[in-house]
Amino acid sequence: MHPSIPRPSSLTVLFILAAGVLAVSFGSIFVRLATEAAAVHSVGFSLVVSALRLTLASLVLIPAWGALRRAKLGAGAWRYAILAGVFLAVHFATWITSISYTSIAASVTLVNTNPIWVALISWVWLKQPPARLTILGITVAFIGGLIIALGGGSNPGPNPALGNFLAVAGAVAVSFYFLLGREAQQRGFPIGLYAAVAYSAAALVLLPLPFLFGTPYLGYPTQAYAWILLMALIPQLIGHTSFNWAVRWVAPVLVTLAILFEPVGASLLAYFVFGELPGLQVLLGAGVLLVGVVAAVLGSRETPA
């Protein structure tokens, strides 16, 4: 038998969560740096970035496949894990593309509205009606989203409306990813093996897509590939793994609340790296939206209305 793993201290959990937030905050920065290094702003190159990010992460996780021999998987486990990977592919394809069209502050804030969409999807799919506080939070978040959509800034992007729409689409897709992933893990997938399956499925979905847009994988500057590699190692493996680890020791709602600091970290990094200063309206909308998301998350702990 394996010895029981000692429970980490609260300080350790806090440190890991902070490291995870910092790691994922670099995600949008690395996307913008890779795009600028390649000097290509297109859907095709966004798909190249998405595919390589997940392919590299999948290669790092190859040792996790060894757990397959010991795993006792229930009915439907593979189906849910693979479907989760498909939605993860949609998430990265839409969100990474959004960064080429709107500001980092708007993109990262909108893509982190997933608790709202999880509540709505659970209502329709799992027949779990949201609590009153969640409904209020959804309403407030919607108002915040409208304020962001009408905002500007020093670098609002070439097509903010399209970028904002893609960021929201990415939030909806990642919400399905979370729900399907939970189902896969409840059916026996250990977290490491699940991540390996989901990332690999996402990579397989994304790898052929750039060719549909006539976009090659080769021929870009070395710096572009370096930023993509950092994207796979830091936001994907360190950031996401930190949250997956933390959720074992603390309530998922606390992990979700911690992730809401990503827009703050990404916006600060965008200012220092690119001099990108969100407009007052974007900042106001982001604040309103995040308040709504927090209310929705806290409402998920209550008895449904």
Side-chain angles (χ1 to χ4, degrees):
M1 295 179 62
H2 295 285
S4 60
I5 301 174
R7 183 179 182 84
S9 66
S10 298
L11 185 61
T12 299
V13 174
L14 180 62
F15 175 80
I16 296 297
L17 278 174
V21 170
L22 179 61
V24 296
S25 296
F26 276 97
S28 55
I29 305 301
F30 291 152
V31 171
R32 179 70 62 78
L33 289 170
T35 302
E36 291 186 353
V40 179
H41 296 267
S42 68
V43 174
F45 183 71
S46 296
L47 292 171
V48 167
V49 173
S50 303
L52 290 180
R53 168 179 176 157
L54 285 162
T55 299
L56 292 170
S58 299
L59 292 175
V60 174
L61 288 174
I62 285 177
W65 286 90
L68 185 59
R69 295 189 301 271
R70 304 184 300 275
K72 297 180 179 179
L73 304 180
W78 278 101
R79 180 173 67 252
Y80 282 111
I82 293 171
L83 277 175
V86 171
F87 277 102
L88 184 62
V90 175
H91 162 68
F92 280 121
T94 51
W95 172 62
I96 287 178
T97 303
S98 79
I99 296 172
S100 295
Y101 294 102
T102 190
S103 69
I104 286 176
S107 173
V108 178
T109 301
L110 291 170
V111 83
N112 275 286
T113 58
N114 57 80
I116 300 293
W117 303 107
V118 166
L120 292 175
I121 294 167
S122 297
W123 189 1
V124 175
W125 178 25
L126 303 177
K127 309 302 180 184
Q128 297 174 352
R132 291 187 180 89
L133 183 57
T134 298
I135 295 173
L136 175 62
I138 291 171
T139 303
V140 172
F142 179 75
I143 294 171
L146 288 178
I147 295 173
I148 290 174
L150 299 174
S154 62
N155 183 17
N159 192 338
L162 175 60
N164 294 340
F165 170 79
L166 289 170
V168 172
V172 175
V174 84
S175 300
F176 277 105
Y177 163 69
F178 286 144
L179 290 171
L180 291 165
R182 181 178 66 181
E183 292 292 329
Q185 293 180 69
Q186 288 177 345
R187 284 165 169 74
F189 265 105
I191 184 59
L193 179 59
Y194 163 71
V197 172
Y199 291 1
S200 298
L204 289 173
V205 169
L206 289 167
L207 280 170
L209 296 185
F211 299 117
L212 299 179
F213 293 86
T215 307
Y217 278 96
L218 302 177
Y220 305 107
T222 304
Q223 297 95 316
Y225 295 109
W227 293 124
I228 295 172
L229 175 61
L230 288 175
M231 208 181 302
L233 296 177
I234 298 176
Q236 191 68 36
L237 291 173
I238 296 178
H240 285 250
T241 302
S242 296
F243 298 141
N244 289 328
W245 176 87
V247 79
R248 176 176 181 178
W249 304 109
V250 298
V253 66
L254 297 179
V255 177
T256 304
L257 290 173
I259 295 174
L260 293 181
F261 283 97
E262 180 189 352
V264 179
S267 297
L268 289 173
L269 289 169
Y271 173 72
F272 288 113
V273 177
F274 305 113
E276 182 176 300
L277 186 64
L280 180 60
Q281 197 166 332
V282 172
L283 291 175
L284 174 63
V288 172
L289 188 148
L290 290 177
V291 167
V293 173
V294 169
V297 171
L298 295 177
S300 67
R301 304 172 67 185
E302 299 181 355
T303 303

